[in-house]
Amino acid sequence: MARVDAGRLLAELNEGWRAMGNDHTGAHANDSTGVLRACSMTLIAVASAADDPEDLSRTLASIMHDHPNRSIVLRVGVGEHVEASTAIQCWLPFGRQKQVCCEEIRVSAPRGQLDEVPPILRGLCVADLPVVVWCRDAALAASADLAPVLQLAGKVVVETSSAPASAACHSLSALRPGHPRIADLAWTRITRWREFIAREASGLCATAPGEVTYSGQGEPMAALYLAAWLRAVMNVPISLRCEDPQPPQPGMGRIRAVRLAGLEMRRTAPAVVEASCGLSRSSSVFPLLDNAALLRDELAIWGADPYYDAALGHLLERR
Amino acid sequence: MPGLLGLEDPLRFNNPVAPCAVVIFGANGDLTKRKLMPALYRLAYERRLPAGFAVVGVSRTAMTDDAFREKMRESVARFLEDSPFDEELWRSFAQGLFYQSGDIGDSSLYAGLSQRLEQIARQRSTAGNVLFYLSTSPSQYAPAVEGLGAAHLHRREGAWRRVIIEKPFGHDQSSARELNDRVRSVLDEQAIYRIDHYLGKETVQNILAFRFGNGIFEPLWNRRYVNHVQVTAAESIGVEGRGGYYQEAGALRDMIQNHLLQVLATIAMEPPAEYAAEAVRDERAKLLKSIQRIRPEDVPRVAVKGQYGPARIGGEPLPGFREEPGVDPLSQTDTYAALTLEVDNWRWAGVPFYIRTGKRLPKRVTDIAIEFNRAPLAVFGDAGGGHWPNLLVIRIQPEEGISLRFSSKVPGAGMNLRPVMMDFNYGTSFGARTPTAYETLLLDALEGDATLYTRQDMVEASWAVVQPVLDAWSETKFDLPNYAAGSWGPASSDDMLAARGHVWRVP
């Protein structure tokens, strides 16, 4: 088995670009045809053996349109040795004649050999552009094995929606000290809730305690984040209550309702939340968001995110 | 007591657009069909419009709401740029489309419109907020605003009313002032949004990001390092059936007085204290007012008028301007105009700004080129890069981006230098679709953000720049046509630069 070498992988990618250039003879940047090489960051997507590689690939392809990047998919716990391969993904933007192409490098490593991976990744990161690590499993992200990989990143994105709250909070606590830019797609999922609350509650003088209710077993991270954010920005006590132990219908999300000083916002259908305050009623459409849409939003934020930091601070403080 | 951060999260929330309606005067016109309605539809597609959003089309032609909806459906499906047309979304969007026929000079139009808007406010909860868009012929701007005023449609307690006015804002300095006086007799300045769609272009906005978001260029952005600046807006097409209109306008009025002077102001303005409407507009206005007034006797030296003649290109005969339909065979209209401008401030004193625009030039291109001074000593002799001073090109269209020309050693023996270009292509780093200028500007107006709209003092300052040239040209009979279609303009334009030791770039 040949040693995985970053230089060789990059040479492979260059060869791929050259071949594509030859396929479009005469094409260059000013032509209306041909390919356009696009890159604004290195995105290292860390997946466990249980993750569906096809699903991951589709998500990465989908975000390329907004955030063209060199993707490095690191599959952890796969195979007996560290292995790697390269690919170039292209798409034709609507109404254009020129394909936009991005690079993808697939690296797999058994858990015991993860320490061999960071030197390879260091050689593969695009020079002078930001590096983001996206690891859906927060516990894996917080593990000591992955720490050297996370050290490469300016931002670490995790996903705690399906994790038990205590485990998720434990992982986030472990991640927080070493990485000032942590993001959680479970937080990104509640943006529409927060936006709707901001609209409906603007001018509201809430002094009485509020409440966030949810359905399903165990406190969901989304509800915990929402309550923590409300505490941070409104400075009132917010309690959490399970309204229905049955799991929600598909697409409904686990947050059922928010109550604040006479204002109630309630999810009434998969894409609809209604607000009522006295006789006044309004509703808002909450589009169903997949991983790609969430990641797209998160990758648009590079600097400090004081709103998330404040909510996470409140959340961890209380647990 | 609220927390320190507040409920709004500017990192993630879109600016909320309040419930409102848009009233388009000139709803049967080309601009509505090609630009405005596709832009509004696209904003709906992006979920940027509030629930209950409504559009009322106003025009002389009698038409039912349904006929208007069908007409707009065809237009949107045809003219939507870089974007799919979704029938389902259209059905929901079209429910908010209404039509009101009438004559702008007739008071009954406004009475009917008033009733219609009240009805729509009740049905669709638009809260009485209305954005009026004047997309009519320029002669109807003032009567339309006065009609709104007489019917008390220009303001409403507890709601906002805004008016977008399309260019041209006047056809000379005095008519611009007169129009302004009439408009201001009805509306406050804060309610007037004078649109210049060039300012809504993503790449023009990117000039601000390039200049004020980066630390390395601003120290060079002055008379010590910049030799001269060239602004080019070339079109390969002719007047394309707009001969009648164009004959009255000409290149100087149609392009330089508004679009290109705004671009120049964006390139040369001082940094604003903050990115807020008045701060940015103050700096743009200040720059426009700093442009040296052209004395009548200097016009032949600093301004060039051109008109294209016939030519054969690619085996196809192309008519000259005077042979275009609707054009006077003896027309003196400028289809090409070039100016040398100077900015009287500490940053730019002595640096010439050359601006040119024209029709039937070799290609469609709009860019700004900043040529820097040569290296102070030619240590590499004749083989060095002295012949090719550094050049920074900001490309606005068609392929948006930024290029920097610098000298590099030719590989091999000896020290021979040659110029190379370092290119940044907008599309290379951002694969996502960019909004059209009208999407950006309409959304800004709905949000009440006037940053990218021109203010009256900017309009007047722009007219003050070109008025002496217009006056001198109107008193002179030129020997036209003076350039062939497919060329880069008249020879006198090259002479204008040659007099200062410069040459036009070939973009």
Side-chain angles (χ1 to χ4, degrees):
Chain A
M1 166 90 23
R3 187 175 69 87
V4 175
D5 175 63
R8 184 183 58 77
L9 291 167
L10 292 177
E12 255 180 51
L13 282 173
N14 280 336
E15 193 48 48
W17 284 112
R18 227 188 317 269
M20 296 192 70
N22 291 339
D23 287 348
H24 298 274
T25 310
H28 58 84
N30 288 326
D31 280 350
S32 56
T33 57
V35 297
L36 205 59
R37 187 175 180 170
C39 189
S40 62
M41 72 181 82
T42 302
L43 176 61
I44 302 173
V46 182
S48 64
D51 284 320
D52 176 1
E54 292 303 315
D55 180 44
L56 186 61
S57 218
R58 270 193 300 275
T59 302
L60 291 173
S62 173
I63 62 161
M64 286 288 186
H65 298 231
D66 292 276
H67 303 289
N69 61 73
R70 177 180 288 172
S71 298
I72 303 174
V73 177
L74 171 60
R75 301 199 66 215
V76 177
V78 174
E80 293 178 2
H81 307 280
V82 177
E83 290 178 30
S85 62
T86 63
I88 293 175
Q89 287 204 43
C90 296
W91 74 95
L92 192 63
F94 187 86
R96 302 279 176 86
Q97 289 175 293
K98 194 179 304 223
Q99 287 194 90
V100 179
C101 300
C102 297
E103 300 161 331
E104 185 178 320
I105 300 167
R106 293 160 193 156
V107 180
S108 58
R111 189 100 189 207
Q113 292 177 27
L114 267 180
D115 57 338
E116 295 176 24
V117 171
I120 302 168
L121 297 186
R122 269 184 221 113
L124 292 175
C125 288
V126 182
D128 305 316
L129 286 176
V131 179
V132 177
V133 169
W134 172 41
C135 182
R136 284 197 278 197
D137 181 346
L140 176 60
S143 69
D145 293 343
L146 216 63
V149 174
L150 266 52
Q151 289 301 332
L152 300 171
K155 180 167 183 166
V156 177
V157 183
V158 297
E159 163 72 294
T160 62
S161 295
S162 52
S166 55
C169 289
H170 178 75
S171 300
L172 289 166
S173 296
L175 275 171
R176 216 176 168 205
H179 303 281
R181 303 272 184 276
I182 298 284
D184 185 350
L185 298 188
W187 165 259
T188 321
R189 278 178 205 282
I190 62 167
T191 297
R192 288 295 290 127
W193 269 104
R194 294 195 302 122
E195 198 168 12
F196 191 47
I197 292 168
R199 301 285 171 273
E200 297 296 321
S202 66
L204 193 75
C205 185
T207 49
E211 182 184 57
V212 175
T213 67
Y214 60 90
S215 60
Q217 298 285 341
E219 291 174 333
M221 280 302 282
L224 283 164
Y225 272 134
L226 193 57
W229 171 70
L230 284 167
R231 277 193 291 272
V233 298
M234 301 201 78
N235 210 16
V236 290
I238 304 287
S239 60
L240 231 65
R241 181 170 63 82
C242 176
E243 208 175 89
D244 179 358
Q246 293 304 312
Q249 289 171 27
M252 285 288 279
R254 290 192 59 191
I255 298 173
R256 300 307 309 265
V258 175
R259 290 189 191 84
L260 283 169
L263 170 70
E264 181 181 90
M265 282 148 286
R266 173 167 290 281
R267 190 145 205 161
T268 54
V272 181
V273 172
E274 289 187 357
S276 57
C277 187
L279 292 174
S280 156
R281 296 252 180 297
S282 66
S283 67
S284 181
V285 174
F286 281 26
L288 299 174
L289 300 172
D290 58 11
N291 275 326
L294 297 167
L295 200 53
R296 203 176 291 133
D297 284 356
E298 212 44 69
L299 293 179
I301 297 169
W302 283 108
D305 184 350
Y307 296 85
Y308 176 62
D309 291 345
L312 182 60
H314 270 259
L315 172 57
L316 296 180
E317 210 172 82
R318 293 174 67 90
R319 296 189 70 88
Chain B
M1 186 182 146
L4 287 175
L5 288 172
L7 283 163
E8 289 294 335
D9 181 347
L11 286 176
R12 293 165 195 271
F13 299 174
N14 288 324
N15 276 341
V17 173
C20 61
V22 172
V23 175
I24 303 175
F25 287 88
N28 214 10
D30 246 17
L31 184 72
T32 306
K33 287 187 257 186
R34 287 172 181 268
K35 300 290 181 188
L36 302 183
M37 205 52 82
L40 288 170
Y41 170 82
R42 180 68 205 191
L43 290 173
Y45 181 87
E46 301 273 1
R47 299 173 190 273
R48 299 306 302 271
L49 299 179
F53 178 76
V55 179
V56 183
V58 177
S59 180
R60 268 189 302 206
T61 317
M63 212 182 328
T64 62
D65 288 344
D66 282 341
F68 179 62
R69 287 168 187 152
E70 183 50 30
K71 201 167 187 162
M72 292 301 112
R73 197 195 74 82
E74 285 168 17
S75 301
V76 170
R78 183 170 166 204
F79 295 115
L80 200 56
E81 290 174 33
D82 298 345
S83 188
F85 180 78
D86 180 338
E87 282 287 353
E88 201 171 322
L89 173 66
W90 174 260
R91 273 195 288 278
S92 139
F93 180 74
Q95 284 173 7
L97 299 188
F98 304 91
Y99 185 78
Q100 184 80 28
S101 65
D103 192 296
I104 281 176
D106 182 353
S107 60
S108 66
L109 166 67
Y110 304 94
L113 187 57
S114 180
Q115 283 179 1
R116 202 79 200 264
L117 286 170
E118 288 302 325
Q119 191 186 4
I120 289 168
R122 282 194 303 275
Q123 280 176 359
R124 298 186 64 83
S125 306
T126 57
N129 297 319
V130 183
L131 173 68
F132 297 98
Y133 198 118
L134 306 188
S135 172
T136 62
S137 68
S139 62
Q140 300 198 299
Y141 294 162
V145 172
E146 286 162 353
L148 292 174
H152 305 292
L153 281 166
H154 65 302
R155 63 170 63 109
R156 179 176 152 151
E157 192 67 33
W160 54 255
R161 298 279 160 110
R162 298 172 189 142
V163 179
I164 294 183
I165 302 178
E166 261 294 334
K167 73 144 195 161
F169 205 75
H171 60 270
D172 58 19
Q173 199 169 12
S174 65
S175 62
R177 278 198 192 120
E178 188 200 326
L179 174 58
N180 183 57
D181 289 346
R182 290 177 69 181
V183 170
R184 286 296 307 276
S185 69
V186 176
L187 299 166
D188 295 333
E189 178 66 32
Q190 290 86 343
I192 306 169
Y193 288 67
R194 298 173 193 84
I195 198 164
D196 184 330
H197 75 267
Y198 250 63
L199 289 180
K201 285 179 184 285
E202 199 79 3
T203 36
V204 174
Q205 294 173 66
N206 198 31
I207 295 171
L208 294 175
F210 179 77
R211 286 193 59 199
F212 305 128
N214 294 292
I216 63 168
F217 301 106
E218 206 52 26
L220 309 177
W221 219 258
N222 57 56
R223 63 191 302 275
R224 279 191 293 282
Y225 298 97
V226 174
N227 185 273
H228 70 276
V229 177
Q230 296 187 14
V231 180
T232 301
E235 289 182 77
S236 57
I237 57 169
V239 290
E240 306 294 298
R242 291 166 67 232
Y245 158 76
Y246 200 82
Q247 181 167 249
E248 299 305 315
L252 187 59
R253 279 195 180 91
D254 194 46
M255 288 295 291
I256 294 182
Q257 182 274 330
N258 38 66
H259 303 324
L260 299 189
L261 284 178
Q262 291 299 331
V263 169
L264 173 72
T266 310
I267 278 289
M269 66 191 246
E270 294 298 314
E274 57 177 335
Y275 190 66
E278 289 318 309
V280 174
R281 299 202 299 178
D282 283 348
E283 295 304 336
R284 276 209 183 98
K286 208 161 76 186
L287 190 284
L288 289 168
K289 289 171 192 168
S290 306
I291 296 175
Q292 201 175 85
R293 295 294 168 259
I294 299 171
R295 292 177 303 182
E297 62 271 29
D298 289 335
V299 170
R301 193 174 52 80
V302 301
V304 172
K305 177 177 183 168
Q307 187 187 85
Y308 64 85
R312 276 189 81 81
I313 298 177
E316 190 191 350
L318 293 173
F321 177 66
R322 290 175 173 183
E323 286 85 51
E324 298 274 11
V327 174
D328 176 357
L330 296 173
S331 171
Q332 284 281 308
T333 300
D334 49 312
T335 62
Y336 176 98
L339 297 182
T340 300
L341 300 174
E342 295 207 31
V343 178
D344 282 344
N345 64 19
W346 278 47
R347 187 190 282 265
W348 296 115
V351 176
F353 286 77
Y354 302 115
I355 302 182
R356 65 176 159 173
T357 183
K359 289 194 174 288
R360 283 261 189 261
L361 300 183
K363 64 177 174 183
R364 173 178 170 257
V365 60
T366 301
D367 66 19
I368 303 139
I370 294 132
E371 185 169 312
F372 292 90
N373 289 328
R374 289 162 199 272
L377 182 67
V379 292
F380 301 113
D382 287 344
H387 301 299
W388 303 94
N390 296 123
L391 186 72
L392 182 74
V393 181
I394 299 171
R395 301 189 304 274
I396 294 176
Q397 60 188 20
E399 202 64 55
E400 305 97 326
I402 294 167
S403 303
L404 179 65
R405 182 177 72 190
F406 59 94
S407 293
S408 174
K409 182 182 172 297
V410 176
M415 185 52 88
N416 296 317
L417 271 61
R418 87 165 180 218
V420 291
M421 293 299 271
M422 185 162 69
D423 277 337
F424 157 72
N425 193 307
Y426 215 57
T428 306
S429 287
F430 303 100
R433 173 191 179 275
T434 51
T436 65
Y438 280 96
E439 284 168 43
T440 302
L441 292 167
L442 277 165
L443 190 61
D444 281 0
L446 292 171
E447 289 172 352
D449 180 354
T451 308
L452 301 177
Y453 285 85
T454 52
R455 221 169 41 190
Q456 177 58 20
D457 55 347
M458 296 154 79
V459 172
E460 286 192 14
S462 306
W463 277 118
V465 172
V466 300
Q467 193 62 49
V469 180
L470 288 170
D471 291 342
W473 284 1
S474 71
E475 290 162 8
T476 312
K477 190 165 185 314
F478 288 83
D479 186 15
L480 301 173
N482 58 357
Y483 72 96
S487 73
W488 277 108
S492 50
S493 186
D494 297 331
D495 297 342
M496 179 175 80
L497 268 68
R500 302 183 73 141
H502 297 139
V503 289
W504 283 117
R505 297 167 48 243
V506 177

